[in-house]
């Protein structure tokens, strides 16, 4: 006797019914993961651009600091030569030539020279040996070079931080891509256990990635 099974009682109908809830929820999860992937990609690129800009700023400031230091040393060498000429004229007793050189001293050298002269160096054995000691004379460009170096160090630190944030956004992109894979796979498995495990894993990774993303700066 042949018996035909009622389509309503088909053994394949129950798994199909149980899969119905997975598909719309998985589709929603995939849509959210897609948007999150795009957002993290955008933010990663933005922070990479910021890091590159700060690195360029660091290089420019470092070059400026080096240039200021070199120019300052060159000027200090010229100032030393002018002072030596004035000192030689003084030792020769040529006051007119001494005044000629002194009147042409740059402001920073003249200030240091006057402070050194106030110590009566030709009479006082405890006076500084020359006006180029640190408490009397400051090499031209020293402060500007120090400021440029400080700004360069700050730019480098900020560039490293921006690079770290960019890397974290990129890692979140990978996490959201993982969510897409498992959310898509969860609706394809015939076995309920595999379907639930894949979907639960996708949800867990998605929530973890969302929390990581929320903690990052914009």
């Amino acid at each position: 006797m042949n018996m035909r099974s009622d389509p309503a009682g088909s053994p394949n109908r129950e798994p199909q019914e149980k899969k119905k809830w997975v598909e719309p929820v998985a589709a929603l999860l995939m849509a959210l993961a897609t948007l999150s992937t795009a957002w993290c990609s955008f933010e990663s690129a933005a922070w990479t651009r910021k890091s590159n800009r700060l690195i360029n700023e660091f290089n420019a400031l470092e070059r400026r600091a080096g240039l200021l230091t070199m120019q300052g040393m060159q000027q200090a060498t010229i100032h030393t030569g002018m002072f030596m000429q004035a000192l030689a004229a003084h030792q020769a007793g040529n006051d007119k030539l001494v005044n000629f050189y002194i009147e042409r001293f740059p402001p920073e050298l003249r200030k240091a020279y006057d402070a050194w002269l106030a110590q009566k160096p030709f009479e006082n054995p405890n006076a500084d040996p020359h006006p180029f000691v640190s408490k009397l004379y400051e090499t031209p460009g020293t402060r500007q070079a120090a400021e440029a170096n400080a700004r360069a160090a700050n730019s480098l630190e900020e560039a490293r931080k921006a690079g770290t944030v960019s890397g974290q956004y990129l890692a979140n992109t990978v996490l959201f891509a993982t969510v897409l894979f498992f959310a898509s796979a969860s609706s394809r498995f015939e076995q309920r256990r595999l379907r639930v495990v894949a979907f639960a894993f996708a949800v867990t990774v998605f929530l973890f990635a969302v929390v990581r993303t929320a903690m990052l700066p914009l």
Side-chain angles (χ1 to χ4, degrees):
M1 180 176 176
N2 294 329
M3 296 182 62
R4 297 180 61 184
S5 299
D6 186 356
S10 173
N12 293 327
R13 184 172 181 79
E14 183 177 357
Q16 293 296 329
E17 292 291 341
K18 291 182 178 180
K19 286 176 64 177
K20 285 184 178 180
W21 70 270
V22 176
E23 294 178 355
V25 179
L28 176 61
L29 184 62
M30 291 171 62
L32 293 174
T34 301
L35 292 175
S36 300
T37 300
W39 171 256
C40 287
S41 298
F42 170 78
E43 286 293 328
S44 178
W47 282 94
T48 296
R49 289 192 297 270
K50 181 177 180 179
S51 178
N52 293 337
R53 177 179 60 79
L54 289 167
I55 286 293
N56 292 335
E57 184 177 304
F58 161 75
N59 291 331
L61 288 168
E62 195 174 48
R63 287 194 297 269
R64 173 173 170 76
L67 180 62
L68 288 169
T69 300
M70 182 179 65
Q71 291 176 341
M73 293 178 64
Q74 292 174 343
Q75 293 182 52
T77 300
I78 295 173
H79 295 171
T80 302
M82 296 177 69
F83 168 73
M84 295 302 296
Q85 292 290 340
L87 187 61
H90 174 79
Q91 291 176 342
N94 191 341
D95 293 336
K96 183 177 180 180
L97 186 58
V98 171
N99 292 331
F100 175 83
Y101 282 118
I102 291 175
E103 289 173 357
R104 286 158 178 78
F105 281 174
E108 56 270 23
L109 176 57
R110 182 61 185 269
K111 181 180 178 181
Y113 178 79
D114 289 342
W116 177 71
L117 207 61
Q119 299 178 5
K120 301 185 182 300
F122 302 108
E123 304 171 6
N124 180 13
N126 296 322
D128 291 315
H130 52 75
F132 297 99
V133 295
S134 58
K135 65 180 181 180
L136 300 178
Y137 177 82
E138 183 179 280
T139 303
T142 300
R143 293 184 183 180
Q144 293 87 337
E147 291 174 359
N149 278 323
R151 290 172 56 195
N154 183 68
S155 294
L156 181 60
E157 181 64 23
E158 292 298 320
R160 288 172 176 170
K161 290 180 180 178
T164 299
V165 174
S166 175
Q168 291 174 336
Y169 271 112
L170 184 60
N172 288 353
T173 302
V174 176
L175 290 176
F176 285 120
T178 303
V179 173
L180 285 172
F181 173 79
F182 280 95
S184 175
S186 65
S187 62
R188 300 177 184 275
F189 290 125
E190 294 296 332
Q191 296 185 21
R192 182 176 182 276
R193 180 175 296 178
L194 290 177
R195 192 162 62 245
V196 171
V197 169
F199 184 76
F201 182 76
V203 171
T204 302
V205 175
F206 177 77
L207 294 176
F208 175 69
V210 167
V211 171
R212 275 176 52 96
T213 303
M215 296 174 63
L216 293 176
L218 299 177

